[in-house]
Amino acid sequence: MNAAERLERLADLAVSVGANVQPGQLVVIGAQPEHIELVRPIARAAYRAGARYVSAIYDDLHVKRALVELGPEASLSHSNPWDLTMLDTLVSEQAAYIRVSGDPDPELMAGLDSERVGKAQYREFRARWGHIVSHREVAWTIVPLPTAGWAKQVFGKPDVEALWTAVIKALRLDRPDPAAAWHAHFDRLRTIAAAITERHFESLHYRGPGTDLTVGLLPSGQWHCADFTTNTGHNHAPNLPTEEVFTSPDRRRAEGKIRSTLPLNVPGTMVRDLQFEFRDGKIVDVSAGSGVEVIRAQLAIDENATRLGEVALVDGSSEVGKLGLTFCNTLFDENATCHIAYGSGMEFCVEDPADVAVGINHSAIHTDFMVGGPEVQVDGIDARGSRVTILKDNEFRIS
Amino acid sequence: MNAAERLERLADLAVSVGANVQPGQLVVIGAQPEHIELVRPIARAAYRAGARYVSAIYDDLHVKRALVELGPEASLSHSNPWDLTMLDTLVSEQAAYIRVSGDPDPELMAGLDSERVGKAQYREFRARWGHIVSHREVAWTIVPLPTAGWAKQVFGKPDVEALWTAVIKALRLDRPDPAAAWHAHFDRLRTIAAAITERHFESLHYRGPGTDLTVGLLPSGQWHCADFTTNTGHNHAPNLPTEEVFTSPDRRRAEGKIRSTLPLNVPGTMVRDLQFEFRDGKIVDVSAGSGVEVIRAQLAIDENATRLGEVALVDGSSEVGKLGLTFCNTLFDENATCHIAYGSGMEFCVEDPADVAVGINHSAIHTDFMVGGPEVQVDGIDARGSRVTILKDNEFRIS
C-alpha cells in the first residue's frame, strides 16, 4: 500500500464506516493545518459518497499557544461565536462531522504556565459539543493521521512509517474489505455489551497495583460499543479504531483509588503516572509524575469536572492492544485497554429519565485516562452483593 | 535578514500599519493552510499589540477544488452560515481582519470545467464582505507570503528566495523603520489623491495599444489612497504593499475598449491577454488568451458584475512597478500599474448620498485587472470638456 493508497483507504473508511456519509448530507472535517494530506482525500471521498457540501475547519494549536503565552487571562476560555454557529448548523442540517486526530507537536505547550494551559479549554464550544454527543444529535467520527511529532512520542524518533504500519493494522486497512471487517467487529462488541447490560450490575470494582476503586452504575444503564445511531436514525462509528464497550456510571458514586496504566496526551501536554482518589463520587486527590497542573486546571473548570462520565472495558483481543505500543494518543490508548473518563457523561447510556436526571454527569470536559492491563481485574457487583468477574488477565469472562 | 526575522518584520507590519491592531481588539487572520509560517507570527504580534483574542481561519482551496470537480451544481455558490457569523462578529466587535495572500498552487483549478470554477464564488460571504468594505465597517489588511507555487508563476521556477527579495523591497521591510516608511509613503499618495479630487473631473479617458476607454466619474467623487479609516475612526491600510490612488466611478458610464497589460490570477486560474468592450457602462464583450471562461462566469454572477466598481492610478515610482516583475498576484500587480475593477464599488468614495444611490455599483464580486504602463495615457475631462493629462509615460502630471 503506497502513501496515496493508504490515505485513500483511510479517507474512504472515515466516510463510509466512520461518519457513514449519506447522499445530500453536509460534511464538516475538523483538523489541524498539518493534516491537509488526509483532509483533502476525505473531502473527495465525501463528495464521491454524495455529500452536498464539504467544509474543512482547521484549528491551529500554535495560535492557541500564542493565546496561552501572551493573551489576557479572561480570554483563555473564550469560544468564537462562529464555531458555535457551526455546531448549531451540524445539528439543524443533520450534518456529519469527521475529526482528524494525530498531534503534530504533542509537547507544544511545554514550558508554558500549566494553569493557563489547563484553562484554555474552548469552554462553551466543548460544552455544546458534549451536549450534542450526549443527545446523539450528529453523526461523527474521529480518525487518526500519523504525523512526525506523534511518531516521536510513540517510538522516540519521528518514524512516521512505523506509525503508519501500526495504524493500518489497528484500522484494519490491510483487510481485503476494511468496512466489512469493521461491521463484523461491531457484531462481537455488541454481543459483549449486551451480556454486561443483562446482569444489571449495581457497581464495578477495579483491583490492581495502586488501584482499588468502586464505581456505581445506574439501574437502567446500558452498555454500548462505538457503533452509534443518532436520534434521527443515522448509524455511525464515533471512533476508528474502537475496541471498547462502555457506559456512563452513576455520577454520585465512586470510592477509592485508581492508578493510570498509560501516559495521557492532553493536546500539547504529556501526563505521566496519573493517580486519582475518589470520595462520594468526586476526585478529591490527584497526583502525576508530569503534567499534573493541566489535569488540576481541567478539574477546576466546573463543579462537575471531578465526577465520572464514562467507564469502558477493553480486552486483550484488541487490535490496538496487540500492537503493544504506548500511542500517547487517547484515540488509540483508550482502545488498547480499559479506561475511565472524568467530566461529561452520555445520556443515551441510560434508559430511565429519572436515572438521567440524578446520575448522568454534565461538564464542559470529558477526559479519558487508561486504567486497564493484565494486572487489573474488573468485577461486577449486583444489587444482592454477588460478585461476577467481567475482565481478568485481559480476557472478558462474561458472555 | 534571516527567514525568521523577515516573517517577524512582515507580521509586525501587518499588525501595526496594516490592521493597526488596538489593545483589547479581536483579531481574525484569514489564510490558506500553507500559510501557517506567517499566520503564527502574526498571531503572536497581535497579542503583543494587546489583542484580546486572535483566531486563524484557514480556507483550503483543495477542498474547494473537490467541490468544483465532484460536488453538486447547486452547492457551487454556497456559503457556510458560520462564516457569515464570523463577518457579523467582525462588525459587531469592531474586530481587525488580516488576510494572507500568496497562492501556493495558482494552477490548482486547471483542467476543471471553467464555468463551474467561475460559479464557485462563495457568493453570500463575498457580497457581505463587499458591503463591509464599502461601508468601512472593519479595519482590514491583506499582506503577502511568498510560496513556492507563487514563485514559480513569477520566475518560472519555485525560487521562493527571489520572491522574498522582491517582497521585502515592495513592503519596505529593509528600511530601518518600515512603519515610518509607510506613513511617509501614505503622505505622498494622499497629496496626489487630493490633487485629482480637487479637479472634479467628469470622466477619465484611457488611451494606449488596444485601449480607448472613457469612464464616467461622479460629481461628489473622492480619490483616496489605501490609508483608510473605518466608520468608527480606526485607521488601517487595507493593502500592503499599496501604491495606488483610486475612486469608484459612475456605474452607468463606461464606453470603449480596454486591453489588460498584465496577466490576472483569479485563485486557481491564470487569465492572460484579457480585453473588454464597454457600452452604456456595461461589459458587452470579453476575450482572453487563456482563462476567459472563468471571467465570463464571474460576469454572470449577478446583473451588476459587468459594471465598474473601481478605477485606480499608479505611477512609475511604485516600488512594486520598479521591480519589473509580473507577480501574477493582484495585490502586487495592481500596485505595479493602473487598474480597473468590475463588480462592487465603495460607497465611501462618494460624498453625496444621491451619487451613491445612482452611481455606486453593488455586486458579489470585485475583480481588479491591470491596464497601465508607459504606453497608456490617462486624461481627466472636466464638465466643460477640458482635458488634463493625469498620467503619461508612467508619471503623474498633476499635483
Side-chain angles (χ1 to χ4, degrees):
Chain A
M1 217 184 304
N2 67 28
E5 280 165 359
R6 66 198 184 190
L7 287 166
E8 202 76 22
R9 285 201 150 213
L10 175 47
D12 282 339
L13 188 71
V15 166
S16 61
V17 173
N20 185 20
V21 171
Q22 298 298 307
Q25 200 172 20
L26 183 71
V27 176
V28 174
I29 308 165
Q32 295 181 49
E34 290 86 349
H35 295 150
I36 50 176
E37 63 174 321
L38 179 59
V39 169
R40 292 163 179 179
I42 290 174
R44 298 177 62 81
Y47 277 122
R48 281 195 305 264
R52 184 173 90 241
Y53 194 80
V54 182
S55 296
I57 298 181
Y58 294 99
D59 52 292
D60 190 337
L61 284 181
H62 288 256
V63 173
K64 179 177 172 180
R65 189 191 198 283
L67 165 67
V68 173
E69 188 186 342
L70 305 166
E73 178 86 11
S75 294
L76 290 175
S77 63
H78 174 78
S79 297
N80 287 315
W82 53 88
D83 287 327
L84 304 177
T85 303
M86 188 275 285
L87 292 184
D88 291 345
T89 308
L90 289 183
V91 176
S92 64
E93 298 281 328
Q94 287 295 299
Y97 182 68
I98 299 172
R99 178 87 210 164
V100 178
S101 166
D103 205 339
D105 195 348
E107 304 277 5
L108 183 64
M109 302 294 167
L112 297 182
D113 179 333
S114 298
E115 202 184 317
R116 286 173 61 92
V117 174
K119 281 186 186 167
Q121 288 296 334
Y122 221 53
R123 190 165 162 172
E124 192 173 347
F125 181 90
R126 288 173 69 121
R128 279 211 211 177
W129 176 248
H131 180 93
I132 287 170
V133 169
S134 183
H135 292 76
R136 301 182 298 130
E137 294 179 332
V138 164
W140 60 281
T141 191
I142 308 179
V143 295
L145 175 68
T147 59
W150 178 18
K152 190 151 182 262
Q153 291 283 325
V154 184
F155 301 107
K157 56 185 180 190
D159 190 344
V160 181
E161 286 307 309
L163 187 52
W164 262 111
T165 301
V167 164
I168 285 169
K169 201 85 192 147
L171 283 170
R172 297 161 169 82
L173 294 179
D174 52 352
R175 311 285 175 94
D177 183 345
W182 277 100
H183 291 304
H185 177 54
F186 284 132
D187 288 342
R188 174 179 175 261
L189 292 176
R190 260 194 308 267
T191 303
I192 295 166
I196 307 177
T197 298
E198 232 164 54
R199 304 294 181 105
H200 300 292
F201 291 123
E202 192 263 351
S203 59
L204 291 184
H205 184 212
Y206 294 80
R207 269 180 300 178
T211 289
D212 183 355
L213 178 72
T214 301
V215 178
L217 299 179
L218 291 158
S220 69
Q222 307 279 315
W223 288 75
H224 292 274
C225 66
D227 175 40
F228 280 23
T229 303
T230 67
N231 58 16
T232 57
H234 185 128
N235 180 253
H236 67 106
N239 288 177
L240 288 173
T242 182
E243 300 283 346
E244 60 176 318
V245 296
F246 65 91
T247 191
S248 276
D250 186 340
R251 64 189 288 278
R252 299 165 298 179
R253 293 188 291 135
E255 212 68 37
K257 292 184 179 193
I258 195 146
R259 180 183 290 176
S260 184
T261 52
L262 283 177
L264 170 63
N265 175 241
V266 179
T269 306
M270 286 304 306
V271 183
R272 297 175 200 279
D273 305 320
L274 186 60
Q275 298 191 61
F276 292 108
E277 185 173 349
F278 289 82
R279 211 169 300 146
D280 295 330
K282 293 175 75 165
I283 294 166
V284 292
D285 191 46
V286 54
S287 66
S290 70
V292 71
E293 301 84 0
V294 173
I295 302 295
R296 286 218 174 91
Q298 281 199 350
L299 294 173
I301 281 236
D302 52 41
E303 57 172 342
N304 292 327
T306 59
R307 294 184 183 272
L308 294 181
E310 180 183 346
V311 287
L313 302 174
V314 177
D315 75 345
S317 78
S318 160
E319 289 291 349
V320 179
K322 283 195 277 184
L323 292 165
L325 295 167
T326 301
F327 282 91
C328 308
N329 175 301
T330 299
L331 180 61
F332 280 76
D333 292 329
E334 73 166 4
N335 285 304
T337 192
C338 301
H339 58 274
I340 292 179
Y342 55 84
S344 64
M346 294 154 284
E347 298 189 3
F348 64 85
C349 289
V350 175
E351 292 229 308
D352 184 346
D355 283 348
V356 171
V358 297
I360 296 295
N361 200 34
H362 292 96
S363 168
I365 57 162
H366 175 104
T367 300
D368 298 280
F369 59 97
M370 279 54 76
V371 300
E375 297 179 307
V376 181
Q377 178 170 337
V378 185
D379 293 343
I381 298 167
D382 67 19
R384 295 183 313 275
S386 310
R387 181 179 288 267
V388 174
T389 299
I390 301 176
L391 195 66
K392 187 178 175 181
D393 300 330
N394 253 346
E395 275 180 39
F396 278 114
R397 302 298 170 105
I398 192 168
S399 62
Chain B
M1 216 182 305
N2 67 29
E5 281 164 359
R6 67 197 183 191
L7 286 166
E8 203 76 23
R9 286 202 148 213
L10 176 46
D12 283 339
L13 188 71
V15 166
S16 61
V17 174
N20 184 20
V21 171
Q22 297 298 308
Q25 198 171 23
L26 182 73
V27 177
V28 174
I29 308 165
Q32 295 181 50
E34 290 86 349
H35 296 149
I36 50 176
E37 63 173 323
L38 178 60
V39 169
R40 292 163 180 179
I42 289 175
R44 299 178 61 81
Y47 277 121
R48 281 196 304 267
R52 183 171 90 243
Y53 193 81
V54 181
S55 298
I57 298 182
Y58 294 100
D59 53 291
D60 190 337
L61 284 181
H62 289 255
V63 174
K64 179 176 173 179
R65 189 191 198 282
L67 166 68
V68 173
E69 188 186 341
L70 305 166
E73 178 87 11
S75 295
L76 290 175
S77 63
H78 174 77
S79 297
N80 287 316
W82 53 88
D83 287 327
L84 304 178
T85 303
M86 188 276 285
L87 291 183
D88 291 346
T89 307
L90 289 182
V91 175
S92 64
E93 298 280 328
Q94 287 297 300
Y97 182 68
I98 299 173
R99 177 87 210 164
V100 178
S101 164
D103 204 338
D105 196 348
E107 303 277 6
L108 184 63
M109 303 293 168
L112 297 182
D113 179 333
S114 300
E115 204 184 316
R116 285 174 62 95
V117 174
K119 282 186 186 165
Q121 287 295 331
Y122 221 52
R123 189 166 163 173
E124 194 173 348
F125 181 91
R126 289 173 70 121
R128 281 211 210 177
W129 176 248
H131 181 94
I132 287 170
V133 169
S134 182
H135 292 77
R136 302 183 296 130
E137 294 179 331
V138 164
W140 60 280
T141 191
I142 308 179
V143 295
L145 175 69
T147 59
W150 178 18
K152 189 150 185 261
Q153 291 281 327
V154 184
F155 301 107
K157 56 187 178 190
D159 191 344
V160 181
E161 286 307 309
L163 186 52
W164 262 112
T165 302
V167 163
I168 285 169
K169 202 88 191 145
L171 284 170
R172 298 158 168 84
L173 295 179
D174 53 351
R175 309 286 175 94
D177 183 344
W182 277 100
H183 290 304
H185 176 54
F186 284 131
D187 287 343
R188 175 179 176 263
L189 292 176
R190 261 194 307 268
T191 304
I192 295 167
I196 307 177
T197 298
E198 229 164 56
R199 305 295 180 104
H200 300 292
F201 291 122
E202 193 263 351
S203 59
L204 292 183
H205 184 211
Y206 295 79
R207 269 181 301 179
T211 288
D212 184 354
L213 177 73
T214 302
V215 178
L217 298 179
L218 291 158
S220 68
Q222 307 280 314
W223 287 75
H224 292 273
C225 67
D227 175 39
F228 279 24
T229 304
T230 67
N231 57 18
T232 58
H234 184 129
N235 180 252
H236 65 107
N239 288 176
L240 288 174
T242 181
E243 301 282 347
E244 59 175 317
V245 296
F246 65 90
T247 192
S248 276
D250 186 340
R251 63 188 290 277
R252 298 165 298 180
R253 293 187 292 135
E255 212 69 40
K257 292 186 178 190
I258 195 146
R259 178 184 293 177
S260 184
T261 52
L262 284 177
L264 170 63
N265 175 241
V266 178
T269 306
M270 288 304 306
V271 183
R272 296 173 199 280
D273 305 319
L274 187 59
Q275 297 191 61
F276 292 108
E277 185 172 348
F278 288 82
R279 209 169 302 147
D280 294 330
K282 295 176 73 162
I283 294 166
V284 293
D285 191 45
V286 53
S287 66
S290 69
V292 72
E293 302 83 0
V294 173
I295 301 296
R296 286 219 174 92
Q298 281 198 348
L299 294 172
I301 280 233
D302 52 40
E303 58 173 342
N304 291 327
T306 58
R307 294 185 183 272
L308 293 181
E310 180 184 345
V311 288
L313 302 175
V314 177
D315 76 344
S317 78
S318 160
E319 289 292 348
V320 179
K322 283 195 279 185
L323 292 165
L325 294 167
T326 301
F327 283 91
C328 308
N329 174 302
T330 298
L331 179 61
F332 281 74
D333 291 330
E334 73 167 4
N335 284 305
T337 191
C338 301
H339 57 275
I340 293 178
Y342 55 83
S344 63
M346 294 155 284
E347 297 189 2
F348 64 87
C349 289
V350 174
E351 293 227 309
D352 183 345
D355 282 348
V356 171
V358 298
I360 296 296
N361 201 35
H362 293 97
S363 167
I365 57 163
H366 176 103
T367 300
D368 297 282
F369 59 97
M370 280 53 78
V371 302
E375 296 179 308
V376 180
Q377 177 169 337
V378 184
D379 294 343
I381 299 167
D382 68 19
R384 297 183 311 275
S386 308
R387 180 179 291 264
V388 175
T389 299
I390 301 175
L391 195 66
K392 186 178 176 182
D393 300 330
N394 253 346
E395 276 179 37
F396 278 114
R397 303 299 171 103
I398 192 168
S399 61

